[in-house]
């Protein structure tokens, strides 16, 4: 995966004259340089401090409608001269514009929230199927995001939820402990109910 990310960096470097996100603005300047930096920075889970200006510029693009925001962000990334140089680069830019900032655990726990039950007894759950736009972004051949991809803990019907990968083991242990306690409480209630039925005869 890192080799494929390097290919993307080299593709950008071919136009910029050097490799690395930090050099993009020096070569191109303005929004073109910021766009190229953003592409590189958003293609990797490891983002040095040099990424901050371009990422602030990218995530600062916000419109009233989500669809307009995604379109405006795509337009910004396409300012980079090599954004459409190859089909793979064009696909990468589109994947970034749709997925970056929308595939972390916090975002997924909001966007994948759903409801079941009638109006009097509605309960929510969080779906465990990651959106296709996240798959296209995090699994793109030019991205290196495997170590930063959110993971799902548990099952939807028992309070499952998304967590950041570094929190997975701790979250899974806490989830399993909660399920154990809930199951024990239900078993006690079941046995208590059976006892009450037997004593009423």
């Amino acid at each position: 995966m890192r080799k494929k990310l390097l290919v993307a960096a080299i593709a950008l470097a071919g136009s910029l004259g050097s490799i690395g996100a930090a050099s993009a603005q020096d070569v191109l300047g303005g929004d073109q340089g910021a766009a190229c930096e953003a592409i590189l920075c958003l293609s990797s889970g490891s983002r040095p401090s040099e990424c901050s200006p371009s990422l602030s510029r990218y995530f600062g693009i916000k419109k009233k409608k989500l669809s307009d925001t995604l379109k405006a962000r795509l337009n910004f990334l396409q300012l980079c001269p090599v954004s459409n140089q190859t089909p793979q680069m064009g696909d990468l830019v589109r994947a970034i514009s749709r997925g970056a900032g929308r595939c972390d655990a916090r975002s997924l726990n909001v966007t994948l929230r759903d409801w079941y039950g009638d109006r009097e007894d509605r309960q929510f759950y969080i779906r465990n199927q990651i959106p296709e736009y996240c798959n296209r972004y995090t699994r793109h051949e030019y991205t290196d995001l495997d170590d930063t991809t959110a993971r799902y803990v548990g099952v939807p019907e028992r309070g499952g939820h998304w967590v950041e990968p570094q929190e997975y083991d701790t979250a899974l242990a806490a989830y399993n402990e909660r399920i154990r306690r809930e199951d024990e409480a239900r078993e006690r209630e079941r046995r208590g109910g059976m006892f009450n039925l037997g004593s009423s005869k």
Side-chain angles (χ1 to χ4, degrees):
M1 185 64 76
R2 294 184 186 279
K3 291 181 180 178
K4 292 180 179 179
L5 179 61
L6 181 59
V7 171
I10 292 172
L12 282 172
S15 280
L16 302 180
S18 61
I19 297 176
S23 66
Q25 288 219 40
D26 295 335
V27 177
L28 291 176
D31 283 347
Q32 281 190 329
C36 291
E37 280 187 15
I39 291 172
L40 282 176
C41 293
L42 292 169
S43 296
S44 173
S46 177
R47 298 170 185 171
S49 59
E50 290 85 357
C51 288
S52 296
S54 59
L55 294 185
S56 294
R57 175 73 177 86
Y58 177 79
F59 288 114
I61 300 173
K62 296 179 181 178
K63 306 295 181 181
K64 290 184 178 180
K65 294 182 179 179
L66 175 61
S67 59
D68 292 337
T69 294
L70 300 182
K71 183 177 180 180
R73 289 178 176 178
L74 173 61
N75 291 339
F76 168 70
L77 295 178
Q78 288 177 335
L79 293 175
C80 180
V82 295
S83 62
N84 286 304
Q85 192 174 54
T86 65
Q88 292 89 346
M89 284 302 297
D91 186 56
L92 171 66
V93 168
R94 287 188 295 274
I96 290 173
S97 69
R98 295 170 187 164
R102 301 177 64 206
C103 299
D104 59 285
R106 181 178 178 183
S107 299
L108 292 174
N109 284 328
V110 172
T111 58
L112 297 180
R113 178 176 286 203
D114 212 336
W115 301 88
Y116 65 89
D118 52 35
R119 290 186 177 182
E120 290 74 25
D121 188 30
R122 293 186 74 191
Q123 298 185 41
F124 84 88
Y125 67 96
I126 298 171
R127 298 192 301 276
N128 60 357
Q129 188 68 39
I130 197 165
E132 183 57 29
Y133 59 80
C134 289
N135 276 328
R136 291 181 180 177
Y137 173 47
T138 61
R139 298 181 180 179
H140 192 278
E141 62 180 320
Y142 283 175
T143 62
D144 181 26
L145 300 168
D146 290 343
D147 294 337
T148 60
T149 302
R151 299 180 64 182
Y152 194 85
V153 173
V155 293
E157 60 270 22
R158 297 293 300 272
H161 57 283
W162 295 91
V163 298
E164 297 303 331
Q166 66 272 18
E167 302 168 356
Y168 180 78
D169 290 339
T170 301
L172 180 61
Y175 177 87
N176 287 336
E177 176 62 17
R178 176 175 65 80
I179 294 299
R180 184 187 66 78
R181 291 180 178 179
E182 289 178 358
D183 289 345
E184 287 180 352
R186 290 177 181 175
E187 181 63 17
R188 286 194 298 269
E189 290 179 3
R190 186 185 70 82
R191 290 180 178 178
M194 292 175 62
F195 175 79
N196 291 333
L197 284 174
S199 61
S200 64
K201 292 181 180 180

